[in-house]
Amino acid sequence: MTAAAPQKDAHKDELNALLEGRPIVLVGMMGAGKTTVGRRLAARLGRHFVDSDEEVERAAGMSIEDIFAAHGEADFRQGEVRVIARLLKDKDLVLGTGGGAFMNGETRTLVKECAVSVWMRADFELLFQRVQRRSNRPLLKTANPRQTLMDLIDRRYPTYAEADVTVVSTDVPQDQVASDVIDALLAHLREPQ
């Protein structure tokens, strides 16, 4: 066992004690690393990870892309609120949310009441590089996806800034970003409320 392992375990125990079972909710743009970092974070903390987009797809019995095509974004967002409300009742959860979830006022209120939120903040170039690798981004199926992503960032970043904690997601190993999330949560939760 290395010297770092006991320290990580101590951080795990302290953070879980400070959270008192409350979920950790990761918010941010598509491509910010919410799912990848969320899985690592959950493993490190002995919690379970859930991706809200996957849960919405499971509940609807179709992909997000198909939900958008068949019912529109408004119906998708209504289903997303219901799914997130159900998931937030789960203790010891790390929840990765879709990029637009935290933009919904009802979802934001639920997260603020029931969980601790972390904004996974990433710069435009990193996000664009990551989202180009996948074709299942309905909001980027436009004539100019680069401009669309810039516009989404301009609209969403002020709202994401309402999260309890902000962690910069950079092009480093995701385990490092998970460590940064743990450190930021500890600093936030140790502060007198």
Side-chain angles (χ1 to χ4, degrees), residues 104-114:
N104 180 292
E106 188 177 348
T107 299
R108 255 190 335 278
T109 299
L110 285 168
V111 169
K112 287 175 190 286
E113 289 173 356
C114 305

Side-chain angles (χ1 to χ4, degrees), residues 169-188:
S169 179
T170 57
D171 201 10
V172 298
Q174 297 298 344
D175 283 326
Q176 177 58 52
V177 181
S179 292
D180 294 346
V181 171
I182 290 170
D183 292 344
L185 284 168
L186 282 168
H188 170 70

Side-chain angles (χ1 to χ4, degrees), residues 117-180:
S117 56
V118 178
W119 175 21
M120 304 285 301
R121 189 179 197 287
D123 71 25
F124 170 81
E125 289 302 332
L126 180 62
L127 291 173
F128 193 69
Q129 173 191 345
R130 288 177 177 172
V131 298
Q132 280 186 302
R133 297 180 202 152
R134 299 178 66 192
S135 62
N136 64 339
R137 310 284 189 182
L139 292 179
L140 294 182
K141 293 199 176 197
T142 64
N144 187 347
R146 190 174 180 84
Q147 186 60 52
T148 302
L149 184 60
M150 281 185 199
D151 293 345
L152 284 169
I153 286 171
D154 288 346
R155 276 197 314 273
R156 291 179 175 181
Y157 274 24
T159 302
Y160 292 158
E162 294 179 30
D164 297 311
V165 173
T166 300
V167 173
V168 177
S169 179
T170 57
D171 201 10
V172 298
Q174 297 298 344
D175 283 326
Q176 177 58 52
V177 181
S179 292
D180 294 346

Side-chain angles (χ1 to χ4, degrees), residues 7-166:
Q7 184 178 2
K8 278 186 183 177
D9 289 343
H11 285 190
K12 169 188 165 185
D13 294 343
E14 180 185 0
L15 181 52
N16 280 325
L18 289 167
L19 286 165
E20 299 174 327
R22 287 178 294 171
I24 298 168
V25 177
L26 304 178
V27 303
M29 289 296 296
M30 59 187 102
K34 300 179 301 284
T35 299
T36 308
V37 170
R39 289 186 198 287
R40 286 171 168 80
L41 184 63
R44 297 251 309 260
L45 296 175
R47 290 173 160 241
H48 58 282
F49 175 80
V50 176
D51 179 295
S52 68
D53 282 349
E54 290 174 6
E55 289 296 310
V56 169
E57 288 179 335
R58 189 173 291 117
M62 60 175 63
S63 72
I64 290 172
E65 195 170 1
D66 290 344
I67 297 168
F68 268 67
H71 304 288
E73 185 177 359
D75 276 6
F76 168 76
R77 297 296 173 202
Q78 289 173 353
E80 184 178 54
V81 170
R82 289 190 301 273
V83 166
I84 290 173
R86 173 177 53 82
L87 292 171
L88 288 176
K89 295 175 184 171
D90 200 355
K91 291 205 177 282
D92 298 321
L93 172 72
V94 175
L95 178 64
T97 60
F102 202 65
M103 298 305 294
N104 180 292
E106 188 177 348
T107 299
R108 255 190 335 278
T109 299
L110 285 168
V111 169
K112 287 175 190 286
E113 289 173 356
C114 305
V116 178
S117 56
V118 178
W119 175 21
M120 304 285 301
R121 189 179 197 287
D123 71 25
F124 170 81
E125 289 302 332
L126 180 62
L127 291 173
F128 193 69
Q129 173 191 345
R130 288 177 177 172
V131 298
Q132 280 186 302
R133 297 180 202 152
R134 299 178 66 192
S135 62
N136 64 339
R137 310 284 189 182
L139 292 179
L140 294 182
K141 293 199 176 197
T142 64
N144 187 347
R146 190 174 180 84
Q147 186 60 52
T148 302
L149 184 60
M150 281 185 199
D151 293 345
L152 284 169
I153 286 171
D154 288 346
R155 276 197 314 273
R156 291 179 175 181
Y157 274 24
T159 302
Y160 292 158
E162 294 179 30
D164 297 311
V165 173
T166 300

